[in-house]
Structure formats: C-alpha cells, structure tokens
Amino acid sequence: MRRVVLLGCGFVGIHLLKELEKQNFQVFPTSRDPDKNQFLKSHPNKIRFDINEPLTYQNIPDNCEIIWLFPAKPLAKVIEFYNFIAAKSKIRIVLGTTSSYLAKSGIIDESSELDLTKARVQGENFLLSKGAVILALSGIYNKERHPFSWLNKGLIKNSNKSVNLIHINDISKIILEIMASELSQERFNVSDGVKYWWKDIWKTGNEKGYVFAGCPPESEAEDRLISNNKLRILLGNYKFENFNKE
C-alpha cells in the first residue's frame, strides 16, 4: 500500500484525503493542532506538524510520498525540512498559486515570469529543483466556497477584472494523475482554461438570487488568462467541472 503524507490538511487537504483513501492509499494528514481540527481529530493517522517547529519533523513517517498543501515558506525552514526528510520520504507535489506570476494581463503560461520576492515562490523553486511537481492553482471553488460568496463578502474590488478558476474536484483528480506518473521537476498551471469576468459573475449571481451585494466598481481592466495547455496535454480528454453549472 502506498503511503502519502498530506502536509497541511485544510480545504484542499480534507477533500484530497477522502479521494486518496478511496484509491487505497494509506494517508497521514497533518495539522499544527490535529486534535482541534474537527475533520482530523478522529482520524487514526493524524500527525502534528509545524514547519516552524523542527521537533515535529520527526513525526513524519518513513517511506512516504509527501503532498505539500500550505505555502512553502519561509525558505530557510523549507530547506531545513527537506534536508531532514529527503533520505526517508519524497516530496512529490507542492501546491502553489497563479498569483505568483508577475503579469497582470495577457496569457500566462508556465514560462511566465514569477515574483521571486515572494517567500513561497522561493520555497517552491527550491523544492522544484529537488524533484517536486509544482501545481500553480487558480481560484479554488465548490458549492461551499463559491465566487458568489466572495462578492457578498466584499472581497472583489474591481468588477472589470478577469478571474481564473478551478474546482476542488479537478484538483484532486489532477493530483491523482500525477501520483500515477513518474513526473518530477515540472510546473503546471491548474485552471479550467476559461477566463471569467467578475462583472459577469456578479450579474449571473444577482439574477439567480445568490449575490446580494452591489456590483463592485469598475477600475482599470485586468485581463489575464491562465493557460492550461501543458496540463491538458497531460490529462488528454479530461473534462473540467463546469463553473456555470455549479
């Protein structure tokens, strides 16, 4: 049985945990305080782990594949943990974000310039150099965590801005695909490949009665498309979740 450690079991991790266990992986979910995590406190393999507490590194079991789910920072601790674990287990996948790209407009692919001043980018690049696959995630959503609610909370300040999205189900399926491969030292943009505009999302949500807040003001256009062409080559005929049907 393959053994997988989920470093940082939050929104993505909880969903991924269930999918990995369905595929007969033995999963070890970690948290800084697993006994207070309502999703993990009863899990038999829960582990306490905190990147800033080196004494917790020894809690990670040997002969595991590690999926890193929280921001890989600070760099010094990322390196320290890697040096501790490298001889025992392998860091396979690290989740990043498409917000790490510098460009605010145009088509963004894996060769686009990254903001190297960001601590998580520095950590990701280090782990990439050591063999990890980096998944740069677009805006993550499902029914419980939906862009309509982001509008209702006032989190969107410019309706004249594009947004790129990826469903939580797609993320889990993509991770499983990579786990079934021999890929290493690769970066993939993870997006459904569609460019949405916040003003259109607001209009749809308002008409359907899901968005109660007013439409955010329009400022200078931010028109950015996260290209998923490289990911599509890996996935073949895979069909992404349809945002408009969520």
Side-chain angles (χ1 to χ4, degrees):
M1 179 179 287
R2 291 172 68 182
R3 292 148 58 90
V4 175
V5 173
L6 299 181
L7 281 190
C9 210
F11 177 62
V12 173
I14 294 301
H15 192 276
L16 181 58
L17 169 64
K18 298 173 185 177
E19 295 302 311
L20 286 167
E21 289 181 335
K22 287 179 185 177
Q23 299 299 320
N24 296 316
F25 287 87
Q26 184 180 17
V27 185
F28 298 86
T30 80
S31 171
R32 286 177 293 182
D33 195 344
D35 290 326
K36 291 185 178 180
N37 186 315
Q38 62 175 322
F39 298 104
L40 299 186
K41 60 184 179 182
S42 62
H43 196 282
N45 297 333
K46 67 180 184 291
I47 292 172
R48 183 173 181 270
F49 175 83
D50 188 331
I51 191 70
N52 292 308
E53 295 183 25
L55 288 177
T56 66
Y57 298 178
Q58 62 191 349
N59 296 338
I60 304 300
D62 296 352
N63 303 313
C64 287
E65 299 167 86
I66 296 172
I67 302 176
W68 194 309
L69 301 172
F70 64 91
K73 64 179 185 179
L75 178 59
K77 289 300 181 183
V78 172
I79 294 173
E80 184 177 359
F81 175 65
Y82 173 82
N83 290 337
F84 176 88
I85 204 69
K88 304 194 302 178
S89 291
K90 183 176 182 180
I91 299 173
R92 286 291 312 276
I93 297 172
V94 179
L95 298 193
T97 172
T98 54
S99 65
S100 295
Y101 290 111
L102 280 171
K104 300 300 182 184
S105 60
I107 297 175
I108 310 298
D109 64 17
E110 289 80 1
S111 68
S112 297
E113 187 176 2
L114 293 163
D115 186 349
L116 298 179
T117 67
K118 289 188 174 182
R120 72 177 300 166
V121 174
Q122 297 167 13
E124 290 163 15
N125 281 350
F126 171 79
L127 295 171
L128 177 71
S129 74
K130 299 301 182 181
V133 174
I134 309 299
L135 299 182
L137 304 182
S138 296
I140 307 167
Y141 76 98
N142 66 357
K143 285 184 178 180
E144 288 71 42
R145 178 173 167 166
H146 198 278
F148 292 158
S149 67
W150 306 346
L151 286 161
N152 283 328
K153 292 176 182 178
L155 301 178
I156 311 306
K157 306 302 181 184
N158 179 10
S159 64
N160 194 28
K161 179 180 179 180
S162 63
V163 61
N164 299 265
L165 300 169
I166 188 70
H167 196 282
I168 189 71
N169 291 343
D170 294 321
I171 296 172
S172 292
K173 290 170 184 175
I174 290 162
I175 288 175
L176 286 170
E177 185 73 23
I178 292 172
M179 292 293 286
S181 75
E182 298 296 326
L183 285 168
S184 66
Q185 288 187 301
E186 296 281 0
R187 184 186 303 275
F188 291 93
N189 288 342
V190 179
S191 166
D192 64 12
V194 180
K195 179 173 62 178
Y196 306 92
W197 288 90
W198 278 113
K199 53 190 171 186
D200 295 332
I201 294 175
W202 178 87
K203 181 179 179 182
T204 298
N206 182 258
E207 289 174 349
K208 292 183 176 181
Y210 296 129
V211 176
F212 310 105
C215 185
E218 288 195 26
S219 302
E220 183 179 353
E222 293 184 36
D223 184 358
R224 190 165 85 151
L225 173 65
I226 301 298
S227 170
N228 68 354
N229 288 343
K230 182 178 178 180
L231 182 63
R232 284 188 177 277
I233 293 171
L234 172 69
L235 299 179
N237 295 322
Y238 178 78
K239 291 185 178 182
F240 291 88
E241 297 279 349
N242 187 335
F243 170 70
N244 291 316
K245 290 185 178 180
E246 181 64 44

